[in-house]
Amino acid sequence: MVSRVIPVEPFDLVIFGGTGDLARRKILPALFRRFCAGQMGPEARVIGAARSEMDTAAYRDFARSAILEFDDDTVCAEENLSGFLEQLHYVTLDARGETGWDALSALMVEGRIRAFYFSVGPGLFGDLAERLHSYGMADAESRIVVEKPFGRDLASARALNQGLAQHFDETQIYRIDHYLGKETVQNLMAIRFGNMLFEPLWNAQYVDHIQITVAEARGVGSRGGYYDKSGALRDMVQNHMMQLLCLIAMEPPAKFDPDAVRDEKLKVIRALDPVGADDVVRGQYEGTKERPGYRNQVENRDTHTESFVALRAHIGNWRWSGTPFYLRTGKRLKARASEIAVVLKEAPHSIFGTQAGHHANILTIRLQPNEGIELGVTIKEPGPGGMRLVDVPLDMTFAEALGPDTADFPDAYERLIMDVVRGDQTLFMRGDEVEAAWRWTDPIIEGWQNSSVAPILYASGSSGPDDALMLMHRDGRRWREIRA
Ligand code: NDP
Ligand code: BG6
């Protein structure tokens, strides 16, 4: 398969927080890969900005080491690096003071696409928006990119939205949820709305339940400080898993355009029933001889922050009434494995008798690793011995089905940054969507805060607490196994 890369228009991308962890690990390597792919042309400029004193030459050295450390893409040859680095610049700048703003403004070229990536803590979003405005850089062609976490509850998300709205129109604000940039996540829409096969069955009449699992094998690592103030619900469910749920559950938008898609996602979030205390399980991983447990990693022996959450959600609308959605995510689980399983109901009557057993079709969309889709179908077990039934997978691993080139599809950050430059907001969260998601998660968090019950401990390398298994067992269902 030949990949078709369409170069984007020349642009200036300013990375506020250009010396931070996200810039090093994700943004700079992503830009380098788009440069190698020929999508970022020679006129594009990337301007790092942060308080650290350095000049452009030092920033290029910084970017070189970051790319060599974090870009594991063998397709992108190292000899391309010097060309890319020449397009990088740096300005020493303080978001909270006046240092550096005249210099940044002087660098801007009239009439070019300008994107400002707020790769800093949300506490600086308002200061940056304010100064971009007062230094005359917030024109109609400017876009701002903001990172998660977008607030920590409804009130703070609202305040952030209001702060940004003072100087930027909603059409200029790109709220990143990197899950929306993942290839398979976008494929969810292609699978649902590009085929006749699935959509007629995509409702409570035929779907028994849906499971969404985002399992991570690693723990909180060096991010304990941030994570302990957040927890799995804020870190993963309110944003990434909510987006997956929306794409699975939404009505077909009239067209694939930003507001049509986001209107439909918003309707799903607004239709979610409140989650009762019995519908949610939270856990925290224990240590092993070799690896510290959660409490030791965050250095807070009394913490009640959850590193695992499982919950049962209901969407109160015509399509989904009666079909539960089970969501589970956690750190230090058995494997890094994320998938969505759409479990269909059993056939209403078995003509093969009771010995044929119970069989249900399952459509599995594997997000990572080994992106692909698999449809479980029931067939006759080959050979003599009467009509015995067996479930077999119709498996399509994208890299196998579409050729090795497809294994090199752009990672989430590459795609999303290029979408910012193209001015396409389809894969970004709208302000009202983010607020609606907090409105749904806030009562769960408040319930935990008002309770003295600690999260249930689970063994590192397990599938999470047994109570999470019980959440489904009680309904006569079970989780699919977590395996890479
Ligand atoms: P870091 O703490 O590593 O970096 C923060 C950056 O902001 C540094 O470049 C710092 O440089 C700069 N900075 C801090 N204060 C100011 C200021 N007053 N004026 C100008 N620049 C300033 O954070 P991360 O890179 O990890 O995260 C950035 C954002 O991205 C956060 O909102 C985070 O939640 C989010 N995020 C991060 C992820 C990650 O994997 N790291 C994943 C998803 C989201 P200096 O000190 O030189 O000013
Ligand atoms: C981030 C979370 O947004 O997503 C992390 O803050 C999590 O805690 C990460 O590990 C998971 O992303 P991915 O792409 O590795 O599944």
Side-chain angles (χ1 to χ4, degrees):
M1 249 200 44
V2 180
S3 67
R4 281 164 292 158
V5 173
I6 303 165
V8 293
E9 279 181 53
F11 63 89
D12 285 341
L13 172 70
V14 179
I15 312 173
F16 294 115
T19 58
D21 180 67
L22 185 68
R24 284 174 65 235
R25 286 197 306 112
K26 296 287 184 187
I27 305 173
L28 291 168
L31 286 163
F32 177 50
R33 287 195 291 271
R34 288 298 87 203
F35 172 84
C36 294
Q39 196 162 26
M40 171 180 159
E43 288 171 62
R45 294 184 308 169
V46 176
I47 303 160
R51 289 168 307 177
S52 302
E53 297 277 349
M54 67 169 101
D55 57 14
T56 286
Y59 190 62
R60 289 176 181 171
D61 287 343
F62 165 87
R64 176 191 297 275
S65 341
I67 289 165
L68 292 177
E69 185 177 352
F70 294 107
D71 180 39
D72 48 11
D73 185 348
T74 46
V75 178
C76 207
E78 207 178 311
E79 59 255 29
N80 289 318
L81 198 46
S82 322
F84 171 73
L85 293 175
E86 275 170 30
Q87 295 177 229
L88 261 56
H89 304 264
Y90 183 77
V91 174
T92 300
L93 170 148
D94 187 353
R96 290 220 162 102
E98 307 314 314
T99 309
W101 286 92
D102 281 328
L104 181 63
S105 162
L107 268 179
M108 295 290 111
V109 177
E110 224 25 67
R112 258 183 173 228
I113 293 169
R114 282 179 203 168
F116 299 99
Y117 200 128
F118 290 12
S119 182
V120 294
L124 294 179
F125 289 1
D127 296 289
L128 289 174
E130 181 67 49
R131 284 183 174 72
L132 283 172
H133 169 74
S134 57
Y135 283 86
M137 287 179 268
D139 65 13
E141 276 303 293
S142 315
R143 287 132 215 206
I144 58 170
V145 184
V146 291
E147 266 295 341
K148 73 172 272 263
F150 198 81
R152 50 179 290 105
D153 53 20
L154 176 58
S156 52
R158 258 194 197 139
L160 283 176
N161 275 336
Q162 283 162 3
L164 297 179
Q166 282 181 20
H167 303 298
F168 293 93
D169 186 73
E170 182 61 36
T171 56
Q172 296 176 285
I173 305 173
Y174 291 72
R175 293 179 195 77
I176 288 225
D177 182 311
H178 79 277
Y179 265 56
L180 287 177
K182 287 184 189 271
E183 186 70 19
T184 327
V185 174
Q186 293 167 68
N187 235 322
L188 272 177
M189 284 186 274
I191 290 164
R192 283 196 60 192
F193 307 129
N195 294 287
M196 258 317 272
L197 186 59
F198 303 115
E199 202 49 28
L201 306 177
W202 212 263
N203 55 55
Q205 195 183 343
Y206 297 102
V207 177
D208 178 73
H209 72 278
I210 290 174
Q211 304 184 15
I212 306 178
T213 297
V214 177
E216 295 186 86
R218 64 188 174 194
V220 291
S222 57
R223 294 176 71 223
Y226 149 77
Y227 194 89
D228 202 43
K229 291 193 205 79
S230 170
L233 195 77
R234 284 193 175 102
D235 187 49
M236 295 296 290
V237 178
Q238 186 272 347
N239 36 70
H240 305 325
M241 298 195 75
M242 179 66 80
Q243 291 298 323
L244 300 180
L245 173 80
C246 286
L247 295 178
I248 280 285
M250 72 186 190
E251 296 300 317
K255 45 190 171 166
F256 190 59
D257 98 1
D259 277 328
V261 171
R262 297 185 300 177
D263 285 346
E264 295 306 334
K265 288 197 290 167
L266 180 62
K267 285 184 209 162
V268 172
I269 307 175
R270 288 188 172 154
L272 278 166
D273 291 343
V275 173
D278 289 344
D279 288 335
V280 57
V281 174
R282 60 176 173 153
Q284 209 178 64
Y285 61 82
E286 291 180 300
T288 59
K289 265 193 198 143
E290 296 78 30
R291 296 198 289 176
Y294 179 79
R295 287 174 183 215
N296 293 91
Q297 274 190 302
V298 302
E299 291 173 13
N300 175 4
R301 299 207 64 80
D302 300 321
T303 180
H304 278 194
T305 300
E306 76 290 354
S307 60
F308 174 96
V309 64
L311 60 84
R312 177 176 42 199
H314 287 278
I315 300 174
N317 65 16
W318 272 49
R319 186 188 280 262
W320 293 117
S321 182
T323 295
F325 286 68
Y326 299 93
L327 275 52
R328 127 185 104 155
T329 183
K331 298 207 181 275
R332 277 281 186 85
L333 296 176
K334 246 182 184 169
R336 177 174 189 252
S338 303
E339 63 165 44
I340 299 168
V342 180
V343 182
L344 278 92
K345 292 184 174 169
E346 288 180 22
H349 165 71
S350 170
I351 63 168
F352 305 111
T354 47
Q355 78 280 4
H358 296 279
H359 300 272
N361 302 118
I362 303 179
L363 175 70
T364 311
I365 298 132
R366 288 192 306 270
L367 305 181
Q368 57 199 25
N370 309 323
E371 293 91 339
I373 60 172
E374 183 185 295
L375 179 63
V377 291
T378 304
I379 60 163
K380 177 189 169 298
E381 197 175 310
M387 193 55 121
R388 293 190 313 271
L389 302 184
V390 63
D391 295 328
V392 292
L394 292 180
D395 187 346
M396 191 186 80
T397 300
F398 294 153
E400 278 169 22
L402 303 172
D405 281 0
T406 52
D408 297 323
F409 40 61
D411 95 346
Y413 276 90
E414 292 174 61
R415 178 184 310 268
L416 293 174
I417 295 171
M418 289 301 111
D419 278 359
V420 172
V421 175
R422 280 189 287 253
D424 184 348
Q425 288 187 305
T426 312
L427 300 176
F428 296 83
M429 295 180 295
R430 213 168 50 191
D432 49 4
E433 234 183 296
V434 177
E435 289 186 17
W438 282 120
R439 198 172 288 112
W440 184 70
T441 43
D442 272 3
I444 307 175
I445 297 168
E446 277 159 25
W448 289 341
Q449 279 165 350
N450 296 333
S451 155
S452 55
V453 181
I456 302 160
L457 297 176
Y458 62 94
S460 285
S462 70
S463 302
D466 286 347
D467 289 49
L469 306 180
M470 290 308 297
L471 185 74
M472 288 195 85
H473 283 180
R474 282 203 309 264
D475 296 347
R477 303 184 173 107
R478 61 193 167 91
W479 291 106
R480 287 164 57 77
E481 205 186 320
I482 297 176
R483 59 189 145 91

